[in-house]
Structures are given as C-alpha cells and as structure tokens.
Amino acid sequence: MATAPPPLRTTAGNLCLGSAPDSWGVWFPEDEQQVPYTRFLDELARAGYEWLELGPYGYLPTDPQRLKAELDARGLKVSGGTAFGALHRPGAWDEMLAHVRRVAALTAAAGAHHLVFIPPMYRDEKTGAFTEPPELTPEQWAGFGRAADWLGRLLREEYDVRLVVHPHADSHIQTQAEIERLLNESDSRYTNLCLDTGHVAYGGGDNLDLIRRFGDRVGYVHIKQMDPEILAQVAAEDLSFGEAVQRGVCVSPPAGIPKPADVLHELARLEAELFVIVEQDLYPCAPEVPLPIAVSTREHLAGCGLSGTRRPNFDR
C-alpha cells in the first residue's frame, strides 16, 4: 500500500505562502466593482494557493460555520484576519474596538492567530480627498504605541491572536520613520509589524533595512511590488493612493520594487516562521484580470524559493 507523500514545505523553510482578496481587486465588504467571494475562493484554489487572509470584514462569510464550509470545500485555510482602525482617535475607540473584536473572533474561529491591523487612510480611497491632516500631532503620537499595546494585549489574552500593524500608503504609518517610531514606542509582546513590502516602498522606506534591524518585530508579511515610474508621478502630482493604483502602481513580479527574491532571502534568515501573503492592489479591475496574475506570481515566488504550504509555528 502506497504511503501518502509528506506535506509540502517551503524551500525557504520558515516561510509559508498565501494570498488575499486584495489580489482580486477587493477593498470593501461590498462593492459593485468586486467579484463575488465564491469566485475569489474558486480562483484562489485554482491558482494553487492553500492559505488566505480574510480581507475586509463582511466580504467573506462572517458566520464561522459557513466560512468553514466554504473553505473546506476548496481545501483552503486562513492565515489571519484583517481589521481597519484608528489608534489616534480616542473618541472613536469603542466603535473601533467592537469592529476589531468581531474580526478577532472570526479569525480565532477559523484557527488563525494573526490580526492585520491597518490604520485609516487620510485620503478617501475613491475620491482622493483629504479627510484628515497627513501627519499626527505630538499629542496623537504620544499615546499611539500604548494604544497599540493595549489592543495587542487584549487580542492575545482573549482570542490568542497576535496584533501586527500594517503600514499603508496615505496613512499615518507610512514612512520608515513612522514605522520605526511605532516599533520603538511599543512592546514586542503585544505589537509587531506586518511588513507590507509594497507600502513600505511607496512610503520611501527600505524593506531590507527594516528586516535586518527589526527582524524580531516582523510577525507577518504582505509581499508586493511598486512601479518606480508611477511612484515618481505620485510625488510630482500629489496623487492619492487610489489614483496611483488606477495608474498601475502595484505590479506583478519580477517588475517593480522591492525585488521579491531579495526580500525572501532576508526573511529566510530570520528565526521566526512567517506567513508571506501575496497582495497586488487592483481595485477596480475586470473580473478576468486577477487569476492569471495570481498564477504567474505564485510561479515567480516558487522560483525564488517560496513554494510550500506548511503552517508556521507562532511564538509572537
């Protein structure tokens, strides 16, 4: 009787590949320009991925049993949840916390242990209009790290979920200086980094430097690339991130910066085991666009040494 083959492992042994609704042009729980979640899940599995991030709360089913049935039917598993919220707005804390708790509960029910926390953008995603000043005041910064730690401790103690803060274009955690300030003013037991390589590049940061100097704080990774020519247009024309995405700022490997092979080489030197989640911001896009990109991206990353599906062990 033949024995079953061993489970696939990443050739960069501490890294586990996945993808996300973002790579299918999904930015919102509901939007007429987005594909139905069933098509996303079908195509994710067809493209050869096993792990996925949940994306905007409400896009995928929020009933744990229904979500499990949809995932099990396609052989898919959850790497983490995604929540949006402001740590610098005390007046909106209760509303934000209620949202984060819903995401954390679903994440935990799905067997995942990371919550990717994305700060709000200060420019509207669709219109580009400014909704807040682009920089925090000293008073807002003063409580930022403590607020992150409070939230991270709650998530860990009540849900066994790790908080990883995600730098984002047009947000107050965008530049390398802002990322480093957050890490320096927070506690590694409760607050760590979702290293989004594309957004770090968008903000002018150095991904390899961050990995080398703050590798012990990298708890989760989004891997994506940006087109340097369009980044130059962003600076010259003061484009919003939504406008930049529509111009094609987010590109498929091997195009763009940073080079995935360089990032994976540095990540593979870390002791921690990490999810590496593919993202390519495509909103809005035609329904037939994402699948071939997802396949070619997976194949490129496999050529860089990232090809397996082993679930990481989590120690932070």
Coordinates of all heavy atoms in Angstrom, one line a residue, residues 145-217:
G145 N 1.7 54.2 20.6 CA 2.3 53.0 21.0 C 1.5 52.3 22.1 O 1.3 51.1 22.1
R146 N 1.1 53.1 23.1 CA 0.4 52.5 24.3 C -0.9 51.9 23.9 O -1.4 50.9 24.4 CB 0.3 53.6 25.4 CG 1.6 54.0 26.1 CD 1.3 54.8 27.3 NE 0.5 56.0 27.1 CZ 1.0 57.1 26.7 NH1 2.3 57.3 26.6 NH2 0.2 58.2 26.5
A147 N -1.6 52.7 23.0 CA -2.9 52.2 22.5 C -2.7 50.9 21.7 O -3.5 49.9 21.9 CB -3.5 53.2 21.6
A148 N -1.7 50.8 20.9 CA -1.4 49.5 20.2 C -1.2 48.4 21.1 O -1.7 47.3 21.0 CB -0.2 49.7 19.2
D149 N -0.4 48.6 22.2 CA -0.1 47.6 23.1 C -1.3 47.1 23.9 O -1.5 45.9 24.2 CB 1.0 48.1 24.1 CG 2.4 48.1 23.5 OD1 2.6 47.5 22.4 OD2 3.2 48.8 24.1
W150 N -2.2 48.1 24.2 CA -3.4 47.7 25.0 C -4.2 46.8 24.1 O -4.8 45.8 24.6 CB -4.2 49.0 25.3 CG -5.3 48.8 26.2 CD1 -5.3 48.9 27.6 CD2 -6.6 48.3 25.9 NE1 -6.6 48.6 28.1 CE2 -7.4 48.2 27.1 CE3 -7.3 48.0 24.7 CZ2 -8.7 47.8 27.1 CZ3 -8.6 47.6 24.7 CH2 -9.3 47.5 25.9
L151 N -4.4 47.2 22.8 CA -5.2 46.4 21.9 C -4.5 45.0 21.7 O -5.2 44.0 21.7 CB -5.3 47.1 20.6 CG -6.2 46.4 19.5 CD1 -7.6 46.2 20.0 CD2 -6.2 47.2 18.2
G152 N -3.2 45.0 21.5 CA -2.5 43.8 21.3 C -2.6 42.8 22.4 O -2.7 41.6 22.3
R153 N -2.5 43.4 23.6 CA -2.6 42.5 24.8 C -4.0 41.9 24.9 O -4.2 40.7 25.2 CB -2.3 43.3 26.1 CG -2.4 42.5 27.4 CD -1.9 43.3 28.5 NE -1.9 42.5 29.8 CZ -1.3 42.9 30.9 NH1 -0.7 44.0 31.0 NH2 -1.4 42.1 32.0
L154 N -5.1 42.7 24.7 CA -6.4 42.2 24.7 C -6.6 41.1 23.7 O -7.2 40.0 24.0 CB -7.4 43.4 24.4 CG -8.9 43.0 24.3 CD1 -9.7 44.2 24.8 CD2 -9.3 42.6 22.9
L155 N -6.1 41.3 22.5 CA -6.2 40.3 21.4 C -5.5 39.0 21.8 O -6.1 37.9 21.6 CB -5.7 40.8 20.1 CG -6.5 41.9 19.4 CD1 -5.7 42.5 18.2 CD2 -7.9 41.4 19.0
R156 N -4.4 39.1 22.4 CA -3.6 37.9 22.7 C -4.3 37.1 23.9 O -4.4 35.9 23.8 CB -2.2 38.3 23.1 CG -1.3 37.1 23.2 CD 0.2 37.4 22.9 NE 1.0 36.2 22.8 CZ 2.1 36.2 22.2 NH1 2.6 37.3 21.7 NH2 2.8 35.1 22.2
E157 N -4.7 37.9 24.9 CA -5.3 37.2 26.1 C -6.7 36.7 25.9 O -7.0 35.6 26.4 CB -5.2 38.2 27.3 CG -3.8 38.6 27.7 CD -3.8 39.6 28.9 OE1 -4.9 40.1 29.2 OE2 -2.7 39.8 29.4
E158 N -7.5 37.4 25.1 CA -8.9 37.0 24.9 C -9.1 36.1 23.7 O -10.1 35.3 23.7 CB -9.8 38.2 24.9 CG -9.8 39.0 26.2 CD -10.8 40.1 26.2 OE1 -11.8 40.0 25.4 OE2 -10.7 41.0 27.0
Y159 N -8.3 36.2 22.7 CA -8.5 35.5 21.4 C -7.3 34.6 20.9 O -7.5 33.9 19.9 CB -8.9 36.5 20.3 CG -10.1 37.3 20.6 CD1 -10.0 38.6 21.1 CD2 -11.4 36.8 20.3 CE1 -11.1 39.4 21.4 CE2 -12.5 37.6 20.6 CZ -12.4 38.9 21.1 OH -13.5 39.6 21.4
D160 N -6.2 34.7 21.6 CA -5.0 34.0 21.2 C -4.6 34.5 19.7 O -4.2 33.7 18.9 CB -5.1 32.5 21.2 CG -3.8 31.8 21.0 OD1 -2.7 32.4 21.3 OD2 -3.8 30.6 20.6
V161 N -4.7 35.8 19.5 CA -4.5 36.4 18.2 C -3.4 37.4 18.4 O -3.5 38.2 19.3 CB -5.8 37.0 17.6 CG1 -5.5 37.9 16.4 CG2 -6.7 35.9 17.2
R162 N -2.4 37.5 17.5 CA -1.3 38.4 17.5 C -1.6 39.7 16.7 O -2.0 39.5 15.5 CB 0.0 37.8 17.0 CG 0.7 36.9 18.0 CD 0.1 35.5 18.0 NE 0.9 34.6 18.8 CZ 0.4 33.5 19.4 NH1 -0.9 33.3 19.4 NH2 1.2 32.7 20.1
L163 N -1.4 40.8 17.3 CA -1.6 42.1 16.5 C -0.3 42.4 15.7 O 0.8 42.4 16.2 CB -1.8 43.2 17.5 CG -1.9 44.6 16.9 CD1 -3.3 44.8 16.2 CD2 -1.9 45.7 18.0
V164 N -0.5 42.6 14.4 CA 0.5 43.0 13.5 C 0.1 44.2 12.8 O -0.9 44.2 12.0 CB 1.0 41.9 12.6 CG1 1.9 40.9 13.3 CG2 -0.2 41.2 11.9
V165 N 0.7 45.4 13.0 CA 0.3 46.6 12.4 C 0.9 46.8 11.0 O 2.1 46.5 10.8 CB 0.7 47.8 13.3 CG1 0.3 49.1 12.7 CG2 0.1 47.7 14.7
H166 N 0.0 47.2 10.1 CA 0.3 47.2 8.7 C 0.5 48.6 8.2 O -0.4 49.4 8.2 CB -0.9 46.6 8.0 CG -0.9 46.6 6.5 ND1 -0.7 47.7 5.7 CD2 -1.0 45.5 5.6 CE1 -0.7 47.3 4.4 NE2 -0.9 46.0 4.4
P167 N 1.8 49.0 7.8 CA 2.0 50.3 7.2 C 1.1 50.4 5.9 O 1.0 49.4 5.2 CB 3.5 50.4 6.9 CG 4.0 49.3 7.8 CD 3.0 48.2 7.9
H168 N 0.6 51.6 5.7 CA -0.2 51.8 4.5 C 0.0 53.1 3.9 O 0.1 54.1 4.6 CB -1.7 51.6 4.9 CG -2.6 51.2 3.7 ND1 -2.9 52.2 2.7 CD2 -3.2 50.1 3.4 CE1 -3.7 51.6 1.8 NE2 -3.9 50.3 2.2
A169 N 0.0 53.2 2.5 CA 0.0 54.4 1.8 C -1.1 55.4 2.3 O -2.2 54.9 2.6 CB -0.1 54.2 0.3
D170 N -0.8 56.7 2.3 CA -1.8 57.7 2.7 C -2.4 57.4 4.1 O -3.5 57.8 4.4 CB -3.0 57.7 1.7 CG -2.6 58.4 0.4 OD1 -1.5 58.9 0.3 OD2 -3.4 58.3 -0.5
S171 N -1.5 56.8 5.0 CA -1.9 56.7 6.4 C -0.8 57.3 7.2 O 0.3 57.6 6.7 CB -2.1 55.2 6.7 OG -0.9 54.6 7.1
H172 N -1.0 57.3 8.5 CA -0.1 57.9 9.5 C 1.1 56.9 9.8 O 2.0 57.3 10.6 CB -0.8 58.4 10.7 CG -1.8 59.5 10.4 ND1 -3.1 59.3 10.5 CD2 -1.6 60.7 10.0 CE1 -3.8 60.4 10.2 NE2 -2.9 61.3 9.8
I173 N 1.0 55.7 9.4 CA 2.1 54.8 9.5 C 2.5 54.4 8.1 O 2.0 53.4 7.5 CB 1.7 53.5 10.3 CG1 1.2 53.9 11.7 CG2 2.9 52.6 10.5 CD1 2.2 54.6 12.6
Q174 N 3.3 55.2 7.5 CA 3.6 55.0 6.0 C 5.1 55.1 5.8 O 5.7 54.2 5.2 CB 2.9 56.1 5.2 CG 3.3 56.1 3.7 CD 2.6 57.2 2.9 OE1 2.4 57.0 1.7 NE2 2.3 58.3 3.6
T175 N 5.8 56.1 6.3 CA 7.2 56.3 6.1 C 8.0 55.3 7.0 O 7.5 54.8 8.0 CB 7.7 57.7 6.3 OG1 7.5 58.0 7.8 CG2 6.8 58.7 5.5
Q176 N 9.3 55.2 6.7 CA 10.1 54.3 7.6 C 10.3 54.9 8.9 O 10.3 54.2 10.0 CB 11.5 54.1 6.9 CG 12.4 53.1 7.8 CD 13.3 52.4 6.9 OE1 13.2 52.2 5.7 NE2 14.4 51.8 7.6
A177 N 10.4 56.3 9.0 CA 10.5 56.9 10.3 C 9.2 56.6 11.2 O 9.3 56.4 12.4 CB 10.7 58.4 10.1
E178 N 8.0 56.7 10.5 CA 6.8 56.4 11.3 C 6.8 54.9 11.7 O 6.3 54.6 12.9 CB 5.6 56.8 10.4 CG 5.5 58.3 10.2 CD 4.6 58.6 9.1 OE1 4.2 57.7 8.2 OE2 4.2 59.8 8.9
I179 N 7.2 54.0 10.9 CA 7.2 52.6 11.2 C 8.1 52.4 12.4 O 7.8 51.7 13.4 CB 7.6 51.7 10.0 CG1 6.6 51.8 8.9 CG2 7.8 50.3 10.5 CD1 7.1 51.3 7.6
E180 N 9.3 53.0 12.3 CA 10.3 52.8 13.4 C 9.8 53.4 14.7 O 10.0 52.8 15.8 CB 11.7 53.4 13.0 CG 12.3 52.6 11.9 CD 13.7 53.1 11.5 OE1 14.3 53.8 12.4 OE2 14.2 52.7 10.5
R181 N 9.2 54.5 14.6 CA 8.7 55.2 15.8 C 7.6 54.3 16.5 O 7.6 54.1 17.7 CB 8.1 56.5 15.5 CG 7.5 57.2 16.8 CD 7.3 58.7 16.6 NE 6.9 59.3 17.8 CZ 6.6 60.6 17.9 NH1 6.7 61.4 16.9 NH2 6.2 61.1 19.1
L182 N 6.7 53.7 15.7 CA 5.7 52.8 16.3 C 6.4 51.6 17.0 O 6.1 51.3 18.1 CB 4.8 52.3 15.2 CG 3.9 51.1 15.6 CD1 2.9 51.5 16.7 CD2 3.2 50.5 14.4
L183 N 7.4 51.0 16.3 CA 8.1 49.9 16.9 C 8.8 50.3 18.2 O 8.8 49.5 19.2 CB 9.0 49.2 15.9 CG 8.3 48.6 14.7 CD1 9.3 48.0 13.7 CD2 7.3 47.5 15.1
N184 N 9.5 51.4 18.1 CA 10.3 51.8 19.3 C 9.4 52.2 20.5 O 9.9 52.2 21.6 CB 11.2 53.0 18.9 CG 12.4 52.6 18.0 OD1 12.9 51.4 18.2 ND2 12.8 53.4 17.1
E185 N 8.2 52.6 20.2 CA 7.3 53.1 21.3 C 6.3 52.1 21.7 O 5.3 52.4 22.4 CB 6.7 54.4 20.9 CG 7.7 55.5 20.7 CD 7.0 56.9 20.4 OE1 5.8 57.0 20.4 OE2 7.8 57.8 20.1
S186 N 6.5 50.8 21.3 CA 5.5 49.7 21.6 C 6.3 48.5 22.1 O 7.5 48.5 22.0 CB 4.6 49.4 20.4 OG 5.4 48.9 19.3
D187 N 5.6 47.6 22.6 CA 6.1 46.4 23.3 C 6.0 45.2 22.4 O 4.9 44.9 21.9 CB 5.3 46.2 24.6 CG 5.9 45.1 25.5 OD1 6.5 44.1 25.0 OD2 5.8 45.2 26.7
S188 N 7.1 44.5 22.2 CA 7.1 43.4 21.2 C 6.2 42.2 21.7 O 5.9 41.4 20.9 CB 8.6 42.9 21.0 OG 9.1 42.4 22.2
R189 N 5.9 42.2 23.0 CA 5.0 41.2 23.4 C 3.6 41.3 22.9 O 2.8 40.4 22.7 CB 4.9 41.2 25.0 CG 6.2 40.8 25.7 CD 6.0 40.9 27.2 NE 5.8 42.3 27.5 CZ 5.5 42.7 28.8 NH1 5.4 41.8 29.8 NH2 5.3 44.0 29.1
Y190 N 3.2 42.6 22.5 CA 1.8 42.9 22.1 C 1.7 43.5 20.7 O 0.6 43.4 20.1 CB 1.2 43.8 23.2 CG 1.3 43.3 24.6 CD1 2.0 44.1 25.5 CD2 0.9 42.1 24.9 CE1 2.1 43.6 26.8 CE2 1.0 41.6 26.2 CZ 1.6 42.4 27.2 OH 1.8 41.9 28.5
T191 N 2.7 44.2 20.3 CA 2.6 44.9 19.0 C 3.8 44.5 18.1 O 4.9 44.7 18.5 CB 2.6 46.4 19.2 OG1 1.5 46.8 20.1 CG2 2.5 47.2 17.9
N192 N 3.5 44.0 16.9 CA 4.5 43.8 16.0 C 4.1 44.2 14.6 O 3.1 44.9 14.4 CB 4.9 42.3 16.0 CG 5.8 42.0 17.3 OD1 6.9 42.5 17.4 ND2 5.2 41.2 18.2
L193 N 4.9 43.9 13.6 CA 4.8 44.5 12.3 C 4.3 43.5 11.2 O 4.8 42.4 11.1 CB 6.2 45.1 11.8 CG 6.3 45.7 10.4 CD1 5.4 47.0 10.4 CD2 7.7 46.0 10.1
C194 N 3.3 43.9 10.5 CA 3.0 43.3 9.2 C 3.8 44.0 8.2 O 3.5 45.2 7.8 CB 1.5 43.3 8.9 SG 1.2 42.8 7.2
L195 N 4.9 43.5 7.7 CA 5.8 44.1 6.8 C 5.1 44.0 5.4 O 5.1 42.9 4.8 CB 7.1 43.4 6.7 CG 8.1 44.1 5.7 CD1 8.7 45.4 6.3 CD2 9.3 43.1 5.4
D196 N 4.5 45.1 4.9 CA 4.0 45.1 3.6 C 5.0 45.8 2.7 O 5.3 47.0 2.8 CB 2.7 46.0 3.5 CG 2.0 45.9 2.2 OD1 2.6 46.3 1.2 OD2 0.9 45.3 2.1
T197 N 5.7 45.0 1.9 CA 6.8 45.4 1.2 C 6.5 46.5 0.1 O 7.3 47.4 -0.1 CB 7.5 44.3 0.4 OG1 6.6 43.7 -0.5 CG2 8.0 43.2 1.4
G198 N 5.3 46.4 -0.4 CA 4.9 47.5 -1.4 C 4.6 48.8 -0.7 O 5.0 49.8 -1.2
H199 N 3.9 48.8 0.4 CA 3.6 50.0 1.1 C 4.8 50.7 1.7 O 4.9 51.9 1.7 CB 2.5 49.8 2.1 CG 1.1 49.6 1.5 ND1 0.4 50.7 1.0 CD2 0.4 48.5 1.3 CE1 -0.8 50.2 0.5 NE2 -0.8 48.9 0.7
V200 N 5.7 49.8 2.1 CA 7.0 50.4 2.6 C 7.7 51.1 1.5 O 8.2 52.2 1.7 CB 7.9 49.3 3.2 CG1 9.3 49.8 3.5 CG2 7.3 48.8 4.5
A201 N 7.8 50.5 0.3 CA 8.4 51.1 -0.8 C 7.7 52.4 -1.2 O 8.3 53.4 -1.6 CB 8.5 50.1 -2.0
Y202 N 6.3 52.3 -1.2 CA 5.5 53.5 -1.5 C 5.9 54.7 -0.6 O 5.9 55.8 -1.1 CB 4.0 53.1 -1.4 CG 3.1 54.1 -2.0 CD1 2.5 53.9 -3.3 CD2 2.7 55.3 -1.3 CE1 1.6 54.8 -3.8 CE2 1.8 56.2 -1.9 CZ 1.2 55.9 -3.1 OH 0.3 56.8 -3.7
G203 N 6.1 54.4 0.6 CA 6.5 55.5 1.6 C 7.9 55.8 1.6 O 8.3 56.6 2.5
G204 N 8.7 55.3 0.7 CA 10.1 55.6 0.6 C 11.0 54.9 1.5 O 12.2 55.2 1.7
G205 N 10.5 53.8 2.1 CA 11.3 53.0 3.1 C 12.1 52.0 2.4 O 12.0 51.7 1.2
D206 N 13.0 51.3 3.2 CA 13.9 50.3 2.8 C 13.5 49.0 3.5 O 13.8 48.8 4.7 CB 15.3 50.7 3.2 CG 16.4 49.8 2.7 OD1 16.1 48.6 2.5 OD2 17.6 50.2 2.5
N207 N 12.9 48.1 2.7 CA 12.4 46.9 3.3 C 13.6 46.0 3.9 O 13.4 45.4 5.0 CB 11.7 46.0 2.3 CG 10.3 46.5 2.0 OD1 9.4 46.2 2.8 ND2 10.1 47.3 1.0
L208 N 14.7 45.9 3.1 CA 15.8 45.1 3.6 C 16.4 45.6 4.9 O 16.7 44.8 5.8 CB 16.8 44.9 2.5 CG 16.3 44.4 1.1 CD1 17.5 44.2 0.2 CD2 15.5 43.1 1.3
D209 N 16.5 46.9 5.0 CA 17.0 47.5 6.2 C 16.1 47.2 7.4 O 16.5 46.9 8.5 CB 17.1 49.0 6.0 CG 17.6 49.7 7.3 OD1 18.8 49.4 7.7 OD2 16.9 50.6 7.8
L210 N 14.8 47.3 7.2 CA 13.8 47.1 8.2 C 13.9 45.6 8.7 O 13.9 45.3 9.9 CB 12.4 47.3 7.8 CG 12.0 48.8 7.7 CD1 10.6 49.0 7.0 CD2 11.9 49.4 9.2
I211 N 14.0 44.7 7.8 CA 14.2 43.3 8.1 C 15.4 43.0 8.9 O 15.4 42.3 9.9 CB 14.1 42.4 6.9 CG1 12.8 42.5 6.2 CG2 14.4 40.9 7.3 CD1 12.7 41.8 4.8
R212 N 16.5 43.6 8.5 CA 17.8 43.4 9.1 C 17.8 44.0 10.5 O 18.4 43.4 11.5 CB 18.9 44.0 8.3 CG 19.2 43.2 7.0 CD 20.1 44.0 6.0 NE 20.2 43.3 4.8 CZ 20.5 43.9 3.6 NH1 20.6 45.3 3.6 NH2 20.6 43.2 2.5
R213 N 17.2 45.2 10.7 CA 17.3 45.9 12.0 C 16.2 45.6 12.9 O 16.3 45.7 14.2 CB 17.4 47.4 11.8 CG 18.7 47.8 11.2 CD 19.0 49.3 11.3 NE 18.0 50.1 10.6 CZ 17.2 50.9 11.2 NH1 17.2 51.1 12.6 NH2 16.3 51.6 10.6
F214 N 15.0 45.2 12.4 CA 13.8 45.0 13.2 C 13.2 43.6 12.9 O 12.0 43.4 13.0 CB 12.8 46.0 12.9 CG 13.1 47.4 13.4 CD1 13.8 48.3 12.5 CD2 12.9 47.8 14.7 CE1 14.1 49.6 12.9 CE2 13.2 49.1 15.1 CZ 13.9 50.0 14.2
G215 N 14.1 42.7 12.5 CA 13.6 41.3 12.2 C 12.8 40.7 13.3 O 11.9 39.9 13.0
D216 N 13.2 40.9 14.5 CA 12.5 40.3 15.6 C 11.1 40.9 15.8 O 10.3 40.3 16.6 CB 13.3 40.5 16.9 CG 13.5 41.9 17.3 OD1 13.5 42.8 16.4 OD2 13.7 42.2 18.5
R217 N 10.8 42.0 15.1 CA 9.4 42.6 15.2 C 8.6 42.2 14.0 O 7.4 42.6 14.0 CB 9.5 44.1 15.4 CG 10.3 44.5 16.6 CD 9.7 44.1 17.9 NE 8.4 44.7 18.1 CZ 8.2 46.0 18.6 NH1 9.3 46.7 19.0 NH2 7.0 46.4 18.9

